[in-house]
Amino acid sequence: MITRYPFSAVVGHDDLKLALLLNAVSPAIGGVLVRGEKGTAKSTVVRSLAALLPRVAVVAGCRFSCDPAAPDPSCPDGPHEGGLSPQTRPARLVELPVGASEDRVAGSLDLERALTEGVKAFEPGLLAAAHRGVLYVDEVNLLHDHLVDLLLDAAAMGVAHVEREGVSVRHAARFLLVGTMNPEEGELRPQLLDRFGLAVEVRASRDPAERAEVVRRRLAFDADPGGFAAAYTGGERDLARRIAAARERLPGVALPDAALRGITAVCAAFDVEGMRADLVMARTAVALAAWEGRDEVTSGDVRTAARLALPHRRRRDPFDDPGHGLDEERLEQALSEADGGSDDGGPDDDGPDDDGPGGGGASGADPADAPPNEGGGTGGRAPVSPTAPYRTRLLAPEAVGRGGPAGRRGRTTGESGRTAGARRPDGRLRRLHLTATLAAAAPHQRGRGRSGSGLVLRREDLREAIREGRESNLVLFCVDASGSMAARARMRAVKGAVLSLLLDAYQRRDKVGLVTFRGEDATVALPPTSSVELASDRLARLATGGRTPLAAGLRRAERVLAAERLRDPRRRPLLVVVTDGRHTSGPDPVAAAARLAGVASVVVDCEHGPVRLGLAGRLAAALGGTPIRIEELAADHLAAVVRDVRKVA
């Protein structure tokens, strides 16, 4: 038996531990999302929770953990009627691997019984195993979309539906959903993000003494896990008893009207969408009162609930700063107004723009209209704000990929996606298509002398499932930041276009990279990453000015793609060059472009004015790619762009 690190031995992470304990008291809160940098013991804390949960009473022999007091009437192992044999077992913590198949998560036909006995029997999946327990997803932001859809359905209804291979099953699936993630590797889909009741940001302590204690305890645990855990048995037992007592107290905790008004006022003040935040805050505040041994919710409970339930719901798009908490002044103001207080003289977060000296108003001349600083940088000018992001055309390779990572851009065949057909296996059978296999074997049963219920199968009957889906690509932006692009209006449009393409990459779950060129050379402003947050931040701080070394930018892009091809060979690249096509430094870019001719490429043409030289179009021809005028990048030209990209993929 594996000895888990004791929950009571964890140093720091107070918000995380409180969020998990409150969900243990009241699973109706909806789970916890743990965001944090790598190496902060996120998984260790979550896995240690299971030992504290009260034991679960189940119907003996039921694979779906039915409650003897209220068995599921649609349980596949039912019906469970009178004379049940109850038994108790520890609460389960079920881990859902990022690379799990849909059958493993939702369940599937029991192949062994189908092939040997000729009967249809359901084999439960991880959703059934997690019922009345904890479902833990490490790196939840990397979970494939088709698995996210399963989780969303189960979390919304508390029921899992399985419809496949002639099997139709419905069973209860209510669980505490806990996910951990590193934001640098990409964000969650908004639908799944909202399903987590609470969210906690975890960071390693900067206190040397606390860090030393963390290391000391971990080394002691590694040296003697059993002895270390035994030293914390008392603390673990006390926490378990306190959770059980809080669960018993929970139904009797009162939520006064004043506290409820505070909850709704805070949610309105922070402009959260929908009503789920209000419900989660109410449940969290009640659970906190029960945990603290009180019979009524206080304003302090509401404050704590807001800090845990609202931060991840304030975010409107992937480029907003997720922050690490709430604006305390705004929180206090909302609570004060709910109590009948006045906000006279209070801060106005949404007040008018400051048009005075040093402000962001429109008074006076625009200093950014001055000539660019050829020496580099922006000459001390304020950063150029991009235009608002908009929905862009779909830019995707036409050729169907082979097993690329799951996403929403290029088409691919591989291990994930919908089943699009069946074929004879070429070599070793990887994904059995049961229905097609049985259909191929059925006409030959009499000729093969079948007797009994079992099927007579031969190698030639086997059929492999063909799965088709969408893949995630590497979108590498190569952006001209030279003096010819530095006029404020033009650079605002360029940044807005790249920001819009970044938003598209976020929605399609791509990796993104950013190469910029200006002056005499090109730099990798952002190595390929799944965090569009980082990309947008680097874009916002993009320096402009100087000459235009277009060839250097293309050569740098070539090196980045070559290195990424070795690191992630399954992920196909898409090169997006944003430039007006001019080059005023270094060699002619045609030779550098020819070396990238095998890469699917798009050139966003930023040339403007009544006279156009068409240099970006010539660059696109050298790349074997497609030129797109920057003003034509919006999604209303979707079909034309897909058709153009297909010509050069």
Side-chain angles (χ1 to χ4, degrees), residues 371-396:
N373 182 354
E374 293 293 326
T378 56
R381 294 170 302 187
V384 178
S385 299
T387 58
Y390 46 85
R391 192 165 66 92
T392 65
R393 299 175 172 189
L394 171 62
L395 310 177

Side-chain angles (χ1 to χ4, degrees), residues 6-21:
F7 191 90
S8 55
V10 175
V11 178
H13 297 334
D14 294 339
D15 285 348
L16 171 56
K17 291 189 288 187
L18 178 61
L20 291 172
L21 290 170

Side-chain angles (χ1 to χ4, degrees), residues 207-487:
D207 180 5
E210 186 170 307
R211 293 173 73 98
E213 183 61 22
V214 171
V215 174
R216 188 178 297 113
R217 293 189 185 188
R218 185 68 211 194
L219 291 177
F221 175 78
D222 292 341
D224 181 11
F228 183 87
Y232 290 89
T233 300
E236 297 290 279
R237 189 181 298 116
D238 291 343
L239 282 174
R241 281 198 292 260
R242 189 174 174 185
I243 290 173
R247 282 191 175 187
E248 292 181 1
R249 185 179 296 110
L250 187 69
V253 175
L255 179 64
D257 287 344
L260 181 56
R261 285 196 302 271
I263 289 171
T264 55
V266 169
C267 290
F270 283 97
D271 199 24
V272 296
E273 296 179 345
M275 296 296 297
R276 183 171 286 117
D278 305 64
L279 290 170
V280 170
M281 273 190 64
R283 291 166 179 160
T284 303
V286 170
L288 182 58
W291 174 252
E292 297 290 348
R294 289 181 272 100
D295 295 324
E296 185 173 285
V297 172
T298 67
S299 59
D301 297 329
V302 174
R303 287 185 181 86
T304 302
R307 295 186 185 103
L308 296 174
L310 295 188
H312 62 302
R313 293 187 166 89
R314 295 182 299 121
R315 208 168 176 208
R316 295 309 182 99
D317 65 62
F319 308 120
D320 289 342
D321 181 7
H324 305 296
L326 297 179
D327 184 329
E328 292 292 337
E329 291 186 5
R330 194 172 178 185
L331 175 60
E332 291 301 327
Q333 182 181 3
L335 290 173
S336 175
E337 291 175 356
D339 289 336
S342 172
D343 62 346
D344 292 343
D348 185 359
D349 291 335
D350 297 315
D353 292 336
D354 181 8
D355 290 337
S363 62
D366 190 341
D369 290 332
N373 182 354
E374 293 293 326
T378 56
R381 294 170 302 187
V384 178
S385 299
T387 58
Y390 46 85
R391 192 165 66 92
T392 65
R393 299 175 172 189
L394 171 62
L395 310 177
E398 179 202 18
V400 178
R402 298 286 294 179
R408 299 178 194 163
R409 189 173 296 275
R411 293 164 50 228
T412 184
T413 59
E415 297 295 327
S416 62
R418 64 180 182 85
T419 300
R423 64 187 174 201
R424 291 180 182 271
D426 181 14
R428 181 176 176 272
L429 178 67
R430 295 184 297 271
R431 301 175 301 275
L432 177 68
H433 193 299
L434 180 60
T435 304
T437 298
L438 297 180
H444 308 292
Q445 295 305 295
R446 180 174 298 179
R448 294 174 183 174
R450 171 185 171 182
S451 61
S453 58
L455 292 175
V456 180
L457 289 177
R458 294 181 179 171
R459 172 73 187 178
E460 59 266 23
D461 299 328
L462 297 178
R463 296 294 183 270
E464 183 177 63
I466 301 173
R467 291 181 180 171
E468 184 174 295
R470 292 281 176 176
E471 68 179 353
S472 165
N473 296 108
L474 165 62
V475 182
L476 181 63
F477 295 96
C478 187
V479 180
D480 185 346
S482 65
S484 66
M485 306 289 290

Side-chain angles (χ1 to χ4, degrees), residues 84-296:
L84 298 176
S85 301
Q87 66 180 38
T88 61
R89 61 162 177 77
R92 293 173 179 159
L93 186 142
V94 177
E95 296 196 33
L96 194 162
V98 169
S101 66
E102 187 174 342
D103 290 348
R104 182 73 183 97
V105 176
S108 63
L109 186 66
D110 188 330
L111 295 180
E112 182 177 350
R113 295 191 63 188
L115 296 177
T116 59
E117 303 175 25
V119 299
K120 292 181 180 179
F122 182 68
E123 181 69 23
L126 295 177
L127 294 180
H131 178 48
R132 304 178 66 199
V134 180
L135 183 64
Y136 171 48
V137 189
D138 192 16
E139 306 293 353
V140 64
N141 51 324
L142 303 182
L143 200 63
H144 290 177
D145 280 354
H146 64 289
L147 300 184
V148 171
D149 293 338
L150 291 176
L151 281 185
L152 288 173
D153 290 342
M157 299 181 294
V159 174
H161 291 273
V162 183
E163 301 279 351
R164 65 164 62 86
E165 298 166 342
V167 175
S168 178
V169 172
R170 173 190 178 277
H171 65 82
R174 293 183 296 275
F175 44 79
L176 170 59
L177 180 62
V178 180
T180 56
M181 60 174 283
N182 182 351
E184 293 181 359
E185 297 174 342
E187 288 293 340
L188 278 178
R189 280 173 55 181
Q191 299 94 325
L192 183 56
L193 181 66
D194 190 50
R195 284 294 172 186
F196 286 98
L198 310 180
V200 179
E201 193 85 19
V202 175
R203 289 189 171 190
S205 172
R206 298 301 184 258
D207 180 5
E210 186 170 307
R211 293 173 73 98
E213 183 61 22
V214 171
V215 174
R216 188 178 297 113
R217 293 189 185 188
R218 185 68 211 194
L219 291 177
F221 175 78
D222 292 341
D224 181 11
F228 183 87
Y232 290 89
T233 300
E236 297 290 279
R237 189 181 298 116
D238 291 343
L239 282 174
R241 281 198 292 260
R242 189 174 174 185
I243 290 173
R247 282 191 175 187
E248 292 181 1
R249 185 179 296 110
L250 187 69
V253 175
L255 179 64
D257 287 344
L260 181 56
R261 285 196 302 271
I263 289 171
T264 55
V266 169
C267 290
F270 283 97
D271 199 24
V272 296
E273 296 179 345
M275 296 296 297
R276 183 171 286 117
D278 305 64
L279 290 170
V280 170
M281 273 190 64
R283 291 166 179 160
T284 303
V286 170
L288 182 58
W291 174 252
E292 297 290 348
R294 289 181 272 100
D295 295 324
E296 185 173 285

